Structure formats: structure tokens, C-alpha cells
Amino acid sequence: MARIVQKYGGTSVGDVERIRKVAERIKLTRDQGNEVVVVVSARSGVTNELLARAKSLCDEPSDRELDMLLSVGEQETIALTAMALHGMGVDAVSRTGAQAGIFTDKVHTRAKIQAIKSETIEKDLAEGHVVIVAGFQGINEDGQITTFGRGGSDLTAMAMAAAIHADKCEIYTDVDGVYTADPRVVTDARKLSELSYDEMLELASSGTKVMQSRSVEFAKKHNVVFEVRSSFNFNPGTIVKEEVSYMEKVVVRGVSVDKDQAKVIVSNILDKPGTSAKVFRALADANVLVDMIVQNVGRQGIANLTFTVPQGDSQSAVKLLEPVLDEIGGGQIAIHEHVAKLSVVGVGMKTHSGVAATVFQALADNEINIDLISTSEIKISIVIDQDRADEAARVTHAAFELDKIGD
């Protein structure tokens, strides 16, 4: 008997018929003699609908009340999924995040999991139930409902798999797995049979929408091997696990584009120790995620600082930094919202040279200008004009002949 955690995203449970199909897949897994814990998201579109209702009543709804509201989406899905299983003769019980023992810190809308007390889940499994857990949510020490942010159900699944020592964690979505690029943009993109945690993490943080980066970080930390696969068919997916030696033979594994980026330029600031610290401390304290950072060499005591943030946080960043400019002795802030981030990822980059040159040449040959550059051991990221992002993905994918790899 294996212990399996399955997670189903919003499109997989988008309506009653889809929920019934999911229940059939769960029943099949259970009928094969396995213990099953299922994590579900809200139905596709429900979270956006709830947000729209909230903002129609209040321009800036409080984070606490948003958590109270948005957690309802997953609670609807767990109940309907359990009912679908009951209709098929399967013993099932639904659990909210709090009832599943998921405890978080006190940050609303972007909470972090601190512990999972899995005694209730273990008892349910011992009694022969399929357990349906609400993704995306938990409870803090004050008894307040908290949520994890977009894609938080992936994090719930990884954390639950680690807590109950699951043999498998299956992430079901609306795609067959992880591709060398977005197949809607790059028509000859190939599905990858395996990826390392680091590659998946870099792709997730670079714009690939298949997985949430926090969940991949958690999986890596706790060594949770997982498979990304489609809920609409029974094809094998992409297995994500610890890096193995043969993965290094392929220099580049994937290309991703993130169009949800804004570039913030803080110019004419004093070039002295502590200036950058004050800028980024203000953003960190407000939970604004900063990605690429470039600071030019100061001249005549003046420097410029450029970084990227999610588009939705760009205006907040300006408001946060205006008082900081007064504190650090002046400066100006400008925002460019029509930018995108192109990333090239692969563990093979550790041991092969020439990757940057190939990327830059491919873009130059197509007259695509480079705005910012950031590198890590297995990733090169470049900020470019948003209107050229899809073209950049295609020419870069072709430059590395990624249509010839995959499963």
C-alpha cells in the first residue's frame, strides 16, 4: 500500500462535471489499494470573482478580511469533492486548512507554514477515509485564518506530503507536464520527463505558471519528489527530484518568459553605505518581492538603482519609497511597466561555457534590445521590451535546439 498526495488545480475542478472526473481518478487510485490525501484549489475564476466583489465594496480591503473571504473558495471545492466521492461509494472526509492542522505565521495573504500537526489526517487515513484538504490556507496561533498567496495550494500539497511521509506527490493541472517553453508561444516546445529541483525552481520563479516557486523550495528542502501531470488524461508527466549527474549533459533545459514585471528606477541617490539597505528594507517590510537588482557605479557621489517587482506591486513600491528618498537625502523614482523577463535555465550551465554568448547573439540577430541582465549558477535572466517577449522566447529556444530534447 502506498500513501499518495494528489493536488488538483482550479481548472481541474472548474465545474461539477470536472469535479466528478477528479473524483473518478481519486477513486481509481484508492481502488488500487492506496491511502489518498487530496489537496484542491478553488474552482477556476472563483478567487478573482471574490476579489472583485471585495474591491467593489472597499478600495483597499483589509488583509485579514481578504483571507476570511478567499478561503471560502477552497472550502466549497473540498465539500463538493467529498460529496462526489460519497456518490461513488467512497468514504471521504473534507478538512479545512485549520482542521488539517496547518499552522502558519501571522502574515495575512502571504502566510508561511510553520508546522503541520497531522494527527487528525493520520486518524482519518487509519479509519479508511480519503481525506480532502483545502489548499492555500491555514490558521495562525491566534486562531485567525491565513492564506498563502497565489498558487498556495501547491505549497499545501508539498507540506502535506512531507508531514505524512507520502510515497508520492502528484500535482494535477491543465498541462501534461513542464515544457522547454510555453507551448502556446513556442509551438515546437517539448515536454521534459525529468527536472531537478533547482531547474524547476528557477523556471517557476522566472514566469513558468505550472508551479509556484515557494512550493518547489519546500519540496527541495524536504526532499519531496513530485510529478506534474494533466488531470485531463493519463499521460506520464514531469518528475521533479534531486539533481542527478546525467542532467548536466543537457546545457539548457528550458526558456521562460514573465510578462508580469515592472522596472523601478531610483535615480540620483547618494552613493554611500546604507542607502540600498534602506530602500530594500522598506520594500521587504511591506512584503514586496524584488527580483533583479542592478546598481551602477557611483560618479561624483551619485548613483542609480534599478530593480524589478511584480506589476501589481509597482505603485505600492513608489508609495513606500517616497518617504525613504527624504531619509536618504533625495532622488527620483520612475516606473517602466511594459517590460518582460526572459530566462534561460539548465543545470548543465554549471559545467558548460558559451550560454550567455548564445543568448545575446540570438537576441542581437533579431534586434531585440537587452535592458537588464542577471545571472545565477544555472540561470540567465534578461529584461526586454514586453512587446518582443514571445519572439525572444522563440529565437532563444531555437538557438539552443530545445525542440530536440524532452521525453
Side-chain angles (χ1 to χ4, degrees):
M1 177 184 292
R3 178 170 285 187
I4 299 175
V5 171
Q6 297 181 335
K7 179 262 176 178
Y8 294 92
T11 54
S12 300
V13 292
D15 54 35
V16 170
E17 186 55 35
R18 286 305 314 156
I19 291 173
R20 184 177 289 110
K21 291 292 185 183
V22 163
E24 289 173 356
R25 188 183 287 261
I26 296 168
K27 181 179 185 300
L28 178 62
T29 305
R30 167 66 179 277
D31 288 348
Q32 292 169 345
N34 302 302
E35 293 182 327
V36 187
V37 174
V38 179
V39 175
V40 293
S41 300
R43 289 183 297 110
S44 181
V46 167
T47 299
N48 287 338
E49 181 183 340
L50 292 172
L51 277 171
R53 289 180 183 178
K55 292 185 177 180
S56 71
L57 296 170
C58 177
D59 290 338
E60 296 185 5
S62 74
D63 288 344
R64 181 197 181 277
E65 299 308 328
L66 279 176
D67 277 354
M68 184 70 74
L69 175 66
L70 298 183
S71 63
V72 171
E74 280 71 18
Q75 292 181 38
E76 176 199 33
T77 313
I78 59 173
L80 291 175
T81 305
M83 292 173 189
L85 287 166
H86 294 163
M88 299 173 186
V90 178
D91 289 333
V93 60
S94 62
R95 298 284 182 191
T96 66
Q99 292 170 339
I102 301 173
F103 289 86
T104 76
D105 60 18
K106 295 185 177 182
V107 177
H108 284 288
T109 74
R110 295 181 181 178
K112 292 182 172 60
I113 295 175
Q114 293 188 326
I116 293 184
K117 298 180 180 180
S118 59
E119 293 86 352
T120 299
I121 302 296
E122 294 287 357
K123 183 175 182 291
D124 288 337
L125 291 173
E127 292 175 352
H129 298 297
V130 171
V131 188
I132 316 295
V133 177
F136 174 70
Q137 62 180 259
I139 190 169
N140 65 28
E141 63 182 24
D142 295 332
Q144 303 292 326
I145 293 174
T146 55
T147 66
F148 308 149
R150 289 288 187 179
S153 294
D154 290 340
L155 179 61
T156 302
M158 299 301 179
M160 190 58 63
I164 66 171
H165 306 288
D167 297 290
K168 292 179 65 178
C169 183
E170 300 171 342
I171 306 296
Y172 287 93
T173 181
D174 56 358
V175 295
D176 280 350
V178 183
Y179 283 70
T180 53
D182 186 341
R184 295 168 298 183
V185 174
V186 182
T187 56
D188 57 359
R190 295 287 303 277
K191 185 175 70 177
L192 296 162
S193 58
E194 291 186 341
L195 277 173
S196 71
Y197 289 126
D198 286 339
E199 288 171 329
M200 186 70 249
L201 181 58
E202 294 287 17
L203 287 170
S205 64
S206 301
T208 299
K209 304 301 183 183
V210 176
M211 290 289 298
Q212 183 222 37
S213 58
R214 281 173 62 194
S215 63
V216 183
E217 288 177 352
F218 193 100
K220 178 183 178 181
K221 180 178 179 181
H222 296 275
N223 197 29
V224 177
V225 177
F226 63 93
E227 182 178 7
V228 180
R229 57 190 303 182
S230 174
S231 63
F232 296 92
N233 59 54
F234 288 87
N235 298 334
T238 301
I239 296 173
V240 182
K241 60 183 181 180
E242 193 61 64
E243 179 184 329
V244 293
S245 59
Y246 73 83
M247 289 181 175
E248 295 187 2
K249 295 179 182 178
V250 180
V251 181
V252 171
R253 303 280 284 178
V255 174
S256 65
V257 170
D258 185 358
K259 297 180 183 178
D260 184 29
Q261 292 282 301
K263 182 176 68 172
V264 180
I265 303 171
V266 184
S267 57
N268 298 321
I269 56 177
L270 294 178
D271 183 23
K272 64 179 183 179
T275 298
S276 296
K278 291 178 180 178
V279 168
F280 292 112
R281 172 51 57 194
L283 298 171
D285 287 346
N287 291 307
V288 174
L289 299 176
V290 176
D291 189 5
M292 301 172 67
I293 303 173
V294 176
Q295 180 171 347
N296 72 343
V297 177
R299 294 184 178 180
Q300 298 180 335
I302 300 297
N304 295 334
L305 188 62
T306 304
F307 56 91
T308 59
V309 298
Q311 281 191 16
D313 287 337
S314 60
Q315 297 301 323
S316 296
V318 172
K319 292 180 181 179
L320 290 164
L321 293 180
E322 285 174 347
V324 176
L325 293 183
D326 293 336
E327 184 181 349
I328 63 178
Q332 292 83 42
I333 306 172
I335 300 175
H336 295 174
E337 293 191 329
H338 300 292
V339 299
K341 180 176 68 173
L342 172 76
S343 297
V344 176
V345 175
V347 294
M349 292 167 61
K350 297 177 183 178
T351 53
H352 292 75
S353 60
V355 176
T358 300
V359 176
F360 300 155
Q361 190 63 56
L363 298 179
D365 289 345
N366 291 272
E367 298 185 344
I368 299 174
N369 193 47
I370 295 172
D371 199 348
L372 297 174
I373 301 170
S374 175
T375 64
S376 73
E377 192 175 28
I378 67 168
K379 181 180 73 171
I380 297 172
S381 290
I382 302 163
V383 171
I384 57 177
D385 187 87
Q386 191 180 78
D387 293 338
R388 306 294 301 276
D390 290 349
E391 180 187 358
R394 287 189 285 268
V395 301
T396 305
H397 192 272
F400 288 102
E401 299 184 330
L402 296 183
D403 60 315
K404 298 178 181 178
I405 71 170
D407 61 359

